[in-house]
Amino acid sequence: MGMGIDIRNRMAKRAAEEIQEGMIVNLGIGIPSLVPNHLANDMLVLFHAENGIVGMGASPSKGMEDENLCNAGGFPVTLIKGGSYCDSSIAFAMIRRGRVDLTILGSLQVSQKGDLANWIVPGKKVPGMGGAMELAQKTKKVIVLMNHCDKNGKPKIVQKCTLPLTSGTCVDMIITEIAVFQFFEKKLWLTEIFEPFDVKDVRNKTEAEFEIMTKLRKIPY
């Protein structure tokens, strides 16, 4: 079952707290695409897309779309003042050289070691991995935004990923509709909980082992 827009926006708003002035940020499709809606209008951030845009703006108004201007997911976007275009090889070179400060991605599974599996379920056809492998390995900080459990109610934060990996030990933070986890010293830590959930709810829905931060932040509903 999909999440309501209010829940997705709560998650996106929390992720937006990790963005700082002057960053170059890459966003995955789905919930990550909502993150810009929660930034101050005067905050200078350059959003990067693998298809060759640095400085993506908001979605255009209906009827104002440019058929030649879209993000890596194929959805129409705009360009902010000072934004630029390049070909995909240059866009990927920026990632591979570590020029992207932060990437916010969706995922199918994350392990308690920070392994990421976000590109394929065996037996299902997909266009390809896209830039996920490069982003996971070379971006300075990797945040995952995802449902806490899959459509069958099985935990997506697991002891060991059972789906094909995108990259190993690359995730820095996980944000779900229930909680926020961070990786410190090769351990998974529960650092925040969204109200009205509690630690018991998190344990019941998480397969991976995790530590609990002493000062656990409660994020109001």
Side-chain angles (χ1 to χ4, degrees), residues 90-166:
I90 298 298
F92 273 81
M94 293 177 190
I95 300 170
R96 292 167 181 163
R97 285 292 302 273
R99 303 301 187 187
V100 178
D101 297 297
L102 173 66
T103 187
I104 304 175
L105 304 170
S107 188
L108 300 168
Q109 289 179 334
V110 177
S111 80
Q112 66 187 39
K113 296 193 303 180
D115 301 326
L116 175 70
N118 80 336
W119 77 282
I120 191 171
V121 175
K124 292 191 176 182
K125 292 183 178 180
V126 294
M129 187 178 285
M133 182 183 290
E134 284 88 350
L135 288 164
Q137 291 182 348
K138 297 297 184 180
T139 305
K140 295 172 185 174
K141 184 171 185 176
V142 177
I143 297 176
V144 167
L145 286 183
M146 67 176 187
N147 297 52
H148 207 96
C149 298
D150 65 19
K151 64 181 180 181
N152 297 313
K154 293 183 178 179
K156 294 174 67 173
I157 304 175
V158 295
Q159 291 185 10
K160 184 177 181 180
C161 292
T162 57
L163 297 173
L165 291 187
T166 305

Side-chain angles (χ1 to χ4, degrees), residues 148 176-180 192-195 197-198 201-202 205:
H148 207 96
T176 75
E177 76 278 18
I178 294 176
V180 179
E192 303 164 44
I193 297 180
F194 286 99
E195 292 183 348
F197 301 102
D198 57 26
D201 294 319
V202 178
K205 295 177 181 293

